[in-house]
Amino acid sequence: MDESVWRTWKPYAVIAALAIGGIWWWNSQSSFAALKDGPYNCTAVFVNADGKYEVLVDASGNRMYADATVDNGNLIALSADSAMSSADLAQLTIKPKGDSHFTATDDPAMHSYNAIACDFAG
């Protein structure tokens, strides 16, 4: 009897573990996950055709940084040397990658574009 109970609960435990893992992935790692609210540290990047980042630098060879703020899953502020207006923010294409990273660009190309890559700092 004990052996038959052992055999019957194992598939259910595997199904439960897969379901929990799937829910976690959907809520925190997928591109459908809502971004966490709070501050983000950003840097200017070039996203190449393979989706890999290449850090952009200014004429002096320094990385270009920015700060962003997300509220209710929406980008509400982005500033580097100066803050962007809400009208300019509305024109950006936001591409989230999980709930704590996103890229923002005004170039909606599918591949090879300049962007700001931001990571959750809160």
Side-chain angles (χ1 to χ4, degrees), residues 40-47 53-68 78-82 102 104 113-119:
Y40 284 73
N41 294 327
C42 308
T43 189
V45 296
F46 174 75
V47 182
Y53 295 164
E54 299 173 20
V55 175
L56 297 176
V57 295
D58 63 15
S60 301
N62 299 315
R63 292 175 77 166
M64 296 177 279
Y65 294 102
D67 296 307
L78 180 62
S79 61
D81 293 336
S82 62
F102 67 90
Y113 56 90
N114 290 326
I116 300 286
C118 301
D119 290 307

Side-chain angles (χ1 to χ4, degrees), residues 3-54:
E3 190 175 320
S4 66
V5 170
W6 174 251
R7 288 184 187 167
T8 58
W9 75 267
K10 282 199 280 187
Y12 296 109
V14 169
I15 291 169
L18 290 174
I20 290 168
I23 291 169
W24 169 81
W25 179 84
W26 182 267
N27 288 328
S28 66
Q29 302 300 309
S30 77
S31 61
F32 302 106
L35 290 170
K36 292 179 182 177
D37 292 345
Y40 284 73
N41 294 327
C42 308
T43 189
V45 296
F46 174 75
V47 182
N48 65 26
D50 295 328
K52 305 290 185 202
Y53 295 164
E54 299 173 20

Side-chain angles (χ1 to χ4, degrees), residues 82-100:
S82 62
M84 291 184 75
S85 70
S86 58
D88 289 336
L89 285 175
Q91 293 178 358
L92 294 178
T93 300
I94 307 300
K95 296 181 180 182
K97 294 182 181 176
D99 64 354
S100 61

Side-chain angles (χ1 to χ4, degrees), residues 40 70 74:
Y40 284 73
V70 171
N74 298 313

